[in-house]
């Protein structure tokens, strides 16, 4: 189903896929008829000539040139660029000087399109790429806003007779950053000038837009939407896929052959289930099944698409193929991998469960299913599958190692440690085995044994940076001069991977910091961060855009309209903020109370929240879905809260009524938490900007904290987070409890008493001796929270002050001081 005939023809010519056309379904911003009123006609020059999302592909540079030309031709006209994926900072980053565009207003990303169109006199859509359709054109026409656009892709269809179309200049067809021809820019600018000066022409343009817009109105679209999907539902699945009876017969015969071969293997394996002597020693019993499948052109095409990371194309091929050969375990596995790469973890897991159901003896399928279950935090299911693996291949040490690691994932650390120790009596163990064993020991507080285990891992693989980094994360001064010499020697190895190199640099940063050699320490931290930053496409402006949009969505009006709704359970206590800001310490204090259970950084709220925008994993951030949030019914809000409680139930190992979820990034979902769990506690722990920034910069988070590897990114992310939490404090006063880390260190008892008063729990003396609380701690702060609060880390950043200029400048750049109001430390 495609939004334009142009796109349908494109898919047919490029991929042979037939597409049914269903135009965009658009919600009107307001009744555009009001733009025909004499007052609105007369005052149009006070409104803006507008472009939405001025990125290069959409003609952003062309628009900027039109604005520059209009500034000379009609200096009283106002222009506006509504930022989306691209905005002012991206253009300035490309070296474009915007200082001379005095008539151009930059609007931060917004969900409030009604205001944008209310304040627009014209909409410019100078798109240069193959635009499937331009939704903003439909929105503008319904709002009675005339449109000027390039003749690109599906835009002419979207426009109809309701706007003005121009040809794409030849230089811009292949290079969106090319200098636009002056004659074309001048033509656009003159056209705008005429529309803005001639009342009769402008009135006629509004009438044309409104007439064309009627085709996009919901009442006109609703019936066609129902008819379209009803026709699809009635159509046999294979009818649109195979029109060639010869091909259909060939695939049907292949399907029968493949299934016969697979079922024969299953029967043979079932007959040998009690024979452990040769289990796991022969070649893969499904080798012939796999060979048959790999010979299929569709499988080869899907593999090629996956190799080039074109997961959308891979899915299209595999989904069609599986409608004809639904039992092909290779195709199912490839589709599961594509789904996982597109962050569809639940679908990936279901597909791999289908593989294991079809081929119970397919060891690789079992192993992959365990991986997906691990990602889904389903420790119980993963353990069950690992047990089945061991039952089929009891002599495979790697599956015993996997089982031991899964025991740790299920919080069964003592069993995990015992399983590893039993494993090491049989085999030497890999470096990864020893690291996982060390991590389990570290988690339960057996530091001495953990250090020995990390040392064993290092001896096993001295070029494995993760081994060194694991030992560094013990936060102990354990590195010798010999260790430093060995790590520096490893760095001279040209074949060392980037991953190992950055891990060793992080570790050397810690080793030199322990020796108070701060310049050498910083140089290694900087090298490590540089390597990590080049491996990610993280764009901090997307976080800033999310915050700007979220502030418009999470309003007093929304919360007032949802008062009394959501799941009323009081169980969760969310600890949010930045990493390395004191969240683990806060959790340890909370967990020292007899009514609160500590868990770990849970991903369950993120999985719920990502459907509404926000962080979906490391470098990816989706815009917030404001309309979706507003449309949630009372039953849906309750259900979302209940789904979170159900998902986290497995993490709760005691009968304590409350539990802590200390996933820092949940700050993005503070508004969602209030909507679905209005009685849950939300605690925001924060350090002062420079201390927080350096704590992030010196820490190797691996994946998932992509803002931590560049000083400017850190500052901008911090300010976006602080800005949002400040907004939440204004629209939900008293709802979120704020703790300033420095205050917690300076006056611990007062802050702890204040914390439990917020939680509506009686104060307990044991919470002042939180380091005595016996529990597993699975973050890099596990050693620190087993000791009384120490003050040395508060001003630790000052040892590196000479090297933190970019961080300081990024904070100061907000208003000429160290931090903007949104970035300032909180006061009790």
């Amino acid at each position: 189903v495609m939004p334009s005939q142009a796109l349908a023809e494109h898919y047919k010519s490029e991929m042979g896929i037939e597409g049914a056309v269903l135009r965009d379904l658009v919600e009107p911003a307001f009744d555009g008829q009001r733009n025909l009123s004499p007052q609105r006609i007369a005052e149009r020059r006070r409104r803006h000539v507008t472009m939405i999302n001025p990125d290069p592909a959409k003609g952003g540079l062309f628009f900027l040139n039109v604005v520059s030309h209009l500034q000379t031709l009609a200096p009283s006209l106002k222009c506006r660029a509504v930022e989306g994926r691209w905005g002012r900072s991206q253009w300035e980053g490309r070296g474009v000087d915007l200082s001379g565009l005095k008539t151009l207003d930059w609007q931060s990303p917004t969900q409030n399109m009604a205001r944008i169109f209310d304040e627009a006199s014209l909409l410019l859509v100078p798109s240069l790429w193959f635009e499937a359709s331009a939704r903003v054109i439909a929105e503008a026409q319904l709002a009675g806003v005339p449109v000027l656009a390039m003749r690109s892709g599906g835009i002419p269809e979207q426009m109809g007779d309701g706007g003005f179309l121009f040809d794409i200049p030849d230089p811009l067809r292949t290079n969106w950053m090319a200098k636009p021809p002056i004659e074309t820019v001048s033509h656009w600018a003159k056209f705008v000038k005429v529309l803005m000066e001639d009342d009769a022409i402008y009135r006629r343009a509004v009438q044309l837009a409104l007439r064309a817009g009627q085709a996009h109105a919901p009442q006109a679209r609703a019936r066609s939407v129902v008819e379209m999907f009803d026709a699809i539902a009635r159509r046999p699945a294979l009818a649109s896929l195979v029109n060639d009876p010869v091909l259909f017969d060939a695939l049907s015969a292949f399907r029968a052959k493949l299934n016969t071969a697979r079922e024969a293997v299953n029967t043979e394996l079932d007959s040998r289930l009690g024979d452990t002597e040769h289990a796991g020693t022969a070649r893969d019993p499904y080798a012939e099944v796999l060979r048959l499948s790999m010979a299929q052109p569709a499988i080869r095409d899907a593999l090629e698409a996956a190799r080039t990371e074109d997961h959308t194309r891979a899915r299209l091929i595999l989904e069609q193929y599986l409608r004809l050969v639904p039992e092909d375990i290779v195709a199912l596995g490839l589709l599961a991998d594509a789904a996982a790469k597109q962050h569809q973890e639940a679908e990936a897991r279901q597909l791999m469960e289908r593989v294991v159901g079809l081929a119970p003896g397919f060891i690789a399928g079992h192993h992959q299913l365990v991986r997906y279950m691990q990602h889904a935090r389903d420790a119980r299911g993963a353990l069950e599958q690992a047990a089945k693996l061991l039952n089929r291949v009891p002599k495979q040490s790697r599956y015993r190692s996997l089982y031991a690691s899964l025991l740790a994932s299920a919080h069964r650390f003592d069993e995990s440690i015992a399983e590893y120790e039993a494993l090491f009596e049989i085999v030497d163990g890999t470096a990864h085995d020893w690291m996982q064993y060390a991590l389990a020991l570290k988690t339960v507080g057996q530091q001495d044994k953990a250090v020995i285990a990390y040392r064993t891992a290092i001896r096993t693989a001295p070029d494995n940076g993760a081994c060194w980094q694991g030992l560094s994360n013990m936060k102990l001064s354990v590195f010798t001069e010999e260790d430093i010499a060995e790590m520096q020697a490893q760095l001279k190895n040209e074949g060392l991977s980037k991953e190992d190199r950055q891990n060793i640099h992080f570790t050397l940063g810690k080793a030199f910091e322990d020796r108070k050699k701060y310049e050498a320490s910083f140089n290694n931290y900087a090298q490590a961060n540089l390597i990590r930053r080049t491996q990610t496409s993280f764009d901090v402006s997307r976080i800033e855009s999310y915050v700007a949009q979220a502030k418009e969505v999470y309003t007093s009006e929304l919360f007032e309209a949802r008062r009394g709704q959501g799941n009323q359970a009081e169980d969760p206590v969310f600890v949010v903020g930045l990493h390395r800001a004191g969240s683990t310490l806060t959790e340890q204090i909370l967990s020292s109370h007899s009514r609160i259970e500590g868990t770990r950084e849970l991903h369950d709220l993120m999985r719920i929240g990502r459907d509404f925008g926000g962080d979906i994993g490391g470098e990816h951030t989706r815009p917030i879905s404001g309309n979706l949030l507003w449309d949630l019914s009372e039953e849906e809000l309750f259900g979302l809260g209940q789904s979170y409680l159900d998902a986290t139930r497995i993490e709760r190992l005691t009968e304590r009524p409350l539990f802590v979820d200390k996933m820092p990034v949940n700050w993005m979902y503070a508004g969602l938490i209030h909507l679905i769990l209005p009685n849950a506690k939300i605690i925001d722990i924060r350090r002062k900007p420079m201390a927080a920034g350096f704590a992030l910069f010196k820490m190797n988070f691996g994946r998932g904290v992509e803002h931590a590897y560049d000083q400017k990114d850190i500052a901008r992310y911090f300010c976006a987070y602080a800005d949002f939490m400040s907004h939440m404090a204004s629209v939900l006063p008293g709802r979120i409890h704020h703790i300033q880390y420095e205050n917690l260190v300076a006056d611990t008892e007062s802050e702890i008493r204040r914390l439990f008063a917020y939680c509506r729990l009686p104060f307990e003396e044991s919470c002042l001796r939180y380091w005595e609380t016996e529990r597993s701690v699975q973050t890099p702060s596990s050693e620190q929270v087993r000791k009384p609060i120490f003050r040395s880390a508060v001003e630790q950043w000052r040892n590196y002050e000479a090297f933190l200029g970019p961080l300081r400048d990024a904070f100061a750049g907000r208003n000429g001081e160290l931090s903007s109001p949104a970035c300032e430390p909180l006061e009790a």
Side-chain angles (χ1 to χ4, degrees):
V1 179
M2 302 171 190
S4 67
Q5 186 61 41
L7 188 65
E9 292 170 0
H10 181 70
Y11 263 81
K12 185 174 182 180
S13 65
E14 295 296 320
M15 302 184 70
I17 294 174
E18 296 284 349
V21 177
L22 182 64
R23 313 276 180 207
D24 288 327
L25 182 66
V26 178
E27 188 69 27
F30 47 77
D31 184 3
Q33 290 292 329
R34 65 178 182 164
N35 265 9
L36 288 174
S37 72
Q39 181 181 354
R40 292 283 288 179
I41 296 288
E43 68 178 14
R44 68 185 181 280
R45 297 173 192 83
R46 300 179 192 172
R47 303 199 295 277
H48 296 86
V49 177
T50 300
M51 180 181 178
I52 296 170
N53 190 17
D55 81 0
K58 291 182 176 290
L61 186 60
F62 184 86
F63 173 74
L64 296 176
N65 278 270
V66 171
V67 173
S68 177
H69 209 76
L70 278 173
Q71 201 164 261
T72 302
L73 196 63
S76 64
L77 294 184
K78 298 192 297 183
C79 299
R80 169 177 282 171
V82 181
E83 296 179 325
R85 289 185 177 274
W86 269 70
R88 179 169 190 153
S89 62
Q90 282 80 10
W91 282 114
E92 290 176 335
R94 288 291 188 96
V96 177
D97 183 8
L98 302 174
S99 60
L101 300 182
K102 305 299 184 185
T103 61
L104 179 60
D105 165 58
W106 290 89
Q107 167 67 50
S108 60
T110 178
Q111 292 284 311
N112 186 4
M113 296 308 294
R115 180 176 66 82
I116 295 301
F117 288 115
D118 182 50
E119 297 174 0
S121 53
L122 297 173
L123 178 71
L124 271 54
V125 187
S127 189
L128 306 175
W129 72 318
F130 186 95
E131 194 88 51
S133 69
R135 182 183 179 86
V136 292
I137 290 177
E139 292 176 330
Q141 289 177 337
L142 286 167
V145 176
V147 182
L148 283 69
M150 292 289 191
R151 193 175 277 105
S152 169
I155 285 180
E157 295 176 57
Q158 194 81 346
M159 185 89 82
D161 296 325
F164 307 92
L165 287 167
F166 303 85
D167 290 331
I168 301 175
D170 287 336
L172 303 183
R173 291 182 184 275
T174 55
N175 182 4
W176 301 326
M177 296 297 288
K179 184 176 181 180
I182 186 65
E183 61 273 13
T184 308
V185 172
S186 176
H187 186 57
W188 276 62
K190 289 177 181 176
F191 213 94
V192 170
K193 183 173 183 290
V194 169
L195 281 167
M196 299 303 287
E197 291 180 349
D198 191 310
D199 287 359
I201 293 176
Y202 185 79
R203 175 184 291 277
R204 178 61 177 158
V206 173
Q207 290 172 333
L208 289 171
L210 288 170
R211 184 184 304 165
Q214 290 309 299
H216 304 297
Q219 58 269 28
R221 283 277 176 263
R223 178 172 295 179
S224 59
V225 171
V226 173
E227 290 174 351
M228 174 72 70
F229 285 99
D230 187 51
I232 290 172
R234 290 197 310 269
R235 185 173 58 194
L238 301 182
S240 63
L241 298 173
V242 179
N243 298 317
D244 184 346
V246 176
L247 177 59
F248 184 86
D249 290 344
L251 282 171
S252 296
F254 168 75
R255 176 186 179 187
K257 182 179 180 180
L258 189 72
N259 285 341
T260 299
R262 177 180 52 78
E263 288 164 4
V265 175
N266 290 346
T267 300
E268 181 184 356
L269 291 176
D270 287 344
S271 69
R272 291 194 294 149
L273 264 181
D275 177 16
T276 61
E277 183 176 348
H278 301 98
T281 59
R283 73 187 187 108
D284 193 319
Y286 293 91
E288 178 61 17
V289 176
L290 302 181
R291 186 192 67 76
L292 287 171
S293 180
M294 295 291 286
Q296 288 298 306
I299 298 297
R300 292 200 297 268
D301 290 347
L303 282 168
E304 177 59 24
R307 186 187 65 79
T308 59
E309 298 187 359
D310 190 349
H311 304 301
T312 299
R313 176 174 170 77
R315 288 189 64 123
L316 286 168
I317 296 168
L318 292 163
E319 286 169 355
Q320 291 195 41
Y321 173 78
L322 282 165
R323 291 186 181 184
L324 295 166
V325 192
E327 302 89 1
D328 190 320
I329 60 175
V330 173
L332 288 164
L334 289 173
L335 185 57
D337 184 63
K341 295 286 176 50
Q342 294 181 323
H343 306 288
Q344 302 296 327
E345 292 88 352
E347 181 187 2
R349 172 177 171 169
Q350 290 170 354
L351 287 163
M352 198 52 65
E353 286 174 339
R354 168 82 169 143
V355 170
V356 171
L358 288 166
F362 187 32
I363 304 303
H366 272 284
H367 202 172
Q368 188 76 332
L369 177 56
V370 169
R371 255 189 0 127
Y372 291 144
M373 287 177 165
Q374 284 180 293
H375 291 167
R377 299 294 219 217
D378 182 359
R380 184 177 300 162
L383 272 171
E384 289 175 358
Q385 284 298 325
K388 291 179 181 178
L389 269 175
L390 280 176
N391 184 46
R392 287 192 173 271
V393 279
K395 293 190 176 183
Q396 281 278 7
S397 60
R398 64 177 176 140
Y399 297 136
R400 190 160 298 280
S401 169
L402 174 65
Y403 185 65
S405 70
L406 289 170
L407 286 169
S409 298
H411 293 197
R412 292 158 61 177
F413 297 104
D414 291 336
E415 294 176 69
S416 174
I417 290 168
E419 192 71 30
Y420 275 119
E421 290 173 352
L423 175 70
F424 297 144
E425 290 179 2
I426 303 170
V427 296
D428 292 337
T430 65
H432 179 74
D433 292 333
W434 284 102
M435 280 193 294
Q436 292 299 107
Y437 173 54
L439 183 59
L441 291 166
K442 169 180 178 281
T443 301
V444 297
Q446 297 186 42
Q447 284 94 337
D448 293 342
K449 289 182 69 175
V451 169
I452 294 171
Y454 276 126
R455 290 282 184 196
T456 306
I458 290 168
R459 286 197 304 273
T460 304
D463 61 343
N464 188 325
C467 300
W468 293 101
Q469 184 63 37
L471 184 56
S472 175
N473 280 340
M474 294 292 294
K475 306 299 179 191
L476 305 172
S477 298
V478 296
F479 293 108
T480 65
E481 292 295 339
E482 290 76 13
D483 289 332
I484 292 174
E486 175 63 32
M487 285 187 278
Q488 290 174 327
Q490 292 296 335
L491 289 174
K492 294 177 183 177
N493 176 9
E494 293 183 359
L496 194 68
S497 72
K498 289 183 178 179
E499 188 78 15
D500 291 322
R501 193 173 296 277
Q502 59 92 17
N503 274 319
I504 290 175
H505 273 303
F506 269 120
T507 306
L508 279 170
K510 173 67 166 62
F512 283 120
E513 182 177 356
D514 291 341
R515 283 164 171 71
K516 296 182 169 50
K517 295 182 178 179
Y518 298 118
E519 184 173 0
S521 171
F522 180 81
N523 288 338
N524 277 283
Y525 285 142
Q527 284 293 319
N529 279 286
L530 180 62
I531 294 169
R532 180 62 82 195
R533 188 63 181 89
T534 59
Q535 295 175 305
T536 174
S537 59
F538 174 75
D539 182 355
V540 71
S541 67
R542 294 187 182 182
I543 300 292
E544 294 168 329
S545 297
Y546 171 84
V547 166
Q549 296 164 9
K551 287 167 64 179
E552 291 185 346
V553 172
Y554 291 121
T555 60
S556 302
E557 291 76 17
L558 172 63
F559 295 127
E560 184 60 32
R562 296 292 185 265
R563 182 188 291 273
Q565 299 181 16
N567 193 304
Q568 302 299 310
E570 300 181 6
D571 305 30
V573 180
F574 293 94
V575 178
V576 305
L578 299 187
H579 290 80
R580 308 299 297 152
S583 59
T584 304
L585 172 61
T586 305
E587 181 194 32
Q588 184 75 355
I589 292 169
L590 288 165
S591 303
S592 301
H593 196 281
S594 62
R595 294 179 60 79
I596 304 179
E597 177 180 1
T599 57
R600 55 180 169 175
E601 295 179 357
L602 307 180
H603 290 73
D604 304 283
L605 184 70
M606 291 175 63
R607 279 192 284 271
I608 294 171
R610 68 178 48 163
D611 289 338
F612 304 96
D615 192 311
I616 60 168
E619 59 199 82
H620 304 288
T621 306
R622 286 179 181 159
I624 191 167
S625 303
N627 291 339
L628 187 57
L629 280 165
W630 267 99
D631 288 344
L632 288 172
S633 67
E634 184 172 353
E635 293 76 15
E636 288 169 326
L637 288 171
F638 178 89
L640 287 171
Q642 189 61 47
S643 68
Y644 170 81
L645 295 172
D646 292 343
T648 54
R649 177 63 58 186
I650 193 172
E651 303 288 343
R652 303 176 67 176
L653 306 179
T654 72
E655 296 301 317
R656 296 184 182 187
L658 307 181
F659 71 99
V660 182
D661 179 344
K662 65 166 293 287
M663 175 59 74
V665 79
N666 282 342
W667 66 263
M668 285 190 179
Y669 306 113
L672 180 64
I673 291 171
H674 181 74
L675 290 173
I676 68 175
L677 292 161
N679 291 322
K681 305 298 184 292
I682 306 174
I683 298 163
D684 174 29
I685 174 76
R686 187 179 309 178
R687 293 176 76 173
K688 289 183 179 179
M690 290 298 289
F694 177 66
L696 286 168
F697 190 75
K698 65 176 283 192
M699 185 66 198
N700 179 15
F701 293 97
R703 304 295 177 185
V705 191
E706 308 301 325
H707 60 276
Y709 304 117
D710 179 89
Q711 293 189 43
K712 292 180 180 178
D713 284 350
I714 290 170
R716 289 174 64 183
Y717 186 98
F718 182 108
C719 288
Y721 139 74
D723 183 26
F724 182 65
M725 297 311 289
S726 176
H727 169 77
M728 292 302 299
S730 68
V731 296
L732 289 173
R735 176 69 176 86
I736 300 172
H737 181 72
H738 300 282
I739 302 176
Q740 188 65 43
Y741 175 78
E742 289 78 6
N743 295 345
L744 181 60
V745 171
D747 191 0
T748 306
E749 181 171 347
S750 295
E751 286 297 319
I752 290 177
R753 287 182 178 276
R754 200 168 68 89
L755 172 62
F756 286 109
Y758 164 76
C759 293
R760 298 179 182 176
L761 291 174
F763 173 76
E764 295 179 354
E765 290 291 334
S766 60
C767 300
L768 294 178
R769 301 186 305 279
Y770 62 87
W771 61 89
E772 296 177 357
T773 300
E774 292 291 334
R775 57 179 290 263
S776 61
V777 182
Q778 302 179 56
T779 69
S781 303
S782 59
E783 277 66 49
Q784 288 138 304
V785 299
R786 292 194 174 94
K787 302 173 184 176
I789 284 179
F790 55 95
R791 292 170 170 75
S792 59
V794 173
E795 297 296 316
Q796 191 178 47
W797 70 274
R798 294 197 180 276
N799 295 321
Y800 296 84
E801 189 168 4
F803 316 113
L804 299 178
L807 186 66
R808 176 181 285 278
D809 292 346
F811 280 124
R814 300 280 160 160
N815 67 349
E817 300 175 1
L818 178 59
S819 62
S820 71
C823 299
E824 290 171 359
L826 295 155
E827 295 301 330

